[in-house]
Amino acid sequence: MAHVQSVAESIAFYQTLGFEVRNTFVPESRADPTWAWIQTDEAQLMLALASEPVVADQQAVLFYLYCDDVPATRSQLQADGVPVGAIEYPFYAPRGEFRVHDPDGYVLMF
């Protein structure tokens, strides 16, 4: 579960990555959801409204998303308007990896 500043904004971002909303919770006193469960293929993520400002570099977490074709996935995300990092080739990822930041600054590694 990732704590975020706006569940609705995070849902919109993750939908560009292929996630679909499976469930949300909107309290009676609010217009937007404070919790969501999203899923794509075998990956699932819960999003919850943070009670304090989110400082991503203090979260000490990287989300890894696996794909069959790293360059094609990067190109598609870039075409969809998602800012993407350069493909790098560390020893543990011979097919390459690249980085994306979500609206709260969490790092997504593909």
Side-chain angles (χ1 to χ4, degrees), residues 7-45:
V7 173
E9 185 179 330
S10 292
I11 287 171
F13 172 80
Y14 282 96
Q15 285 176 324
T16 66
L17 304 181
F19 281 81
E20 296 178 3
V21 176
R22 295 296 184 213
N23 200 354
T24 61
F25 175 73
V26 181
E28 288 184 27
S29 62
R30 298 187 60 104
D32 292 325
T34 58
W35 175 88
W37 166 37
I38 60 176
Q39 180 178 1
T40 182
D41 299 324
E42 297 179 26
Q44 300 180 28
L45 178 62

Side-chain angles (χ1 to χ4, degrees), residues 62 83-88 97-101 107-110:
L62 296 174
V84 296
I87 297 176
E88 298 180 3
E97 69 178 16
F98 66 94
R99 162 183 308 240
V100 170
H101 294 267
V107 175
L108 309 173
M109 299 299 294
F110 287 81

Side-chain angles (χ1 to χ4, degrees), residues 41-105:
D41 299 324
E42 297 179 26
Q44 300 180 28
L45 178 62
M46 286 188 285
L47 305 167
L49 186 64
S51 58
E52 300 286 331
V54 175
V55 182
D57 61 353
Q58 293 179 0
Q59 302 305 313
V61 64
L62 296 174
F63 294 107
Y64 271 83
L65 295 91
Y66 293 89
C67 57
D68 292 326
D69 187 332
V70 173
T73 300
R74 182 183 180 278
S75 293
Q76 182 60 55
L77 290 174
Q78 195 168 32
D80 291 342
V82 176
V84 296
I87 297 176
E88 298 180 3
Y89 297 89
F91 73 90
Y92 56 84
R95 295 186 333 185
E97 69 178 16
F98 66 94
R99 162 183 308 240
V100 170
H101 294 267
D102 84 352
D104 290 284

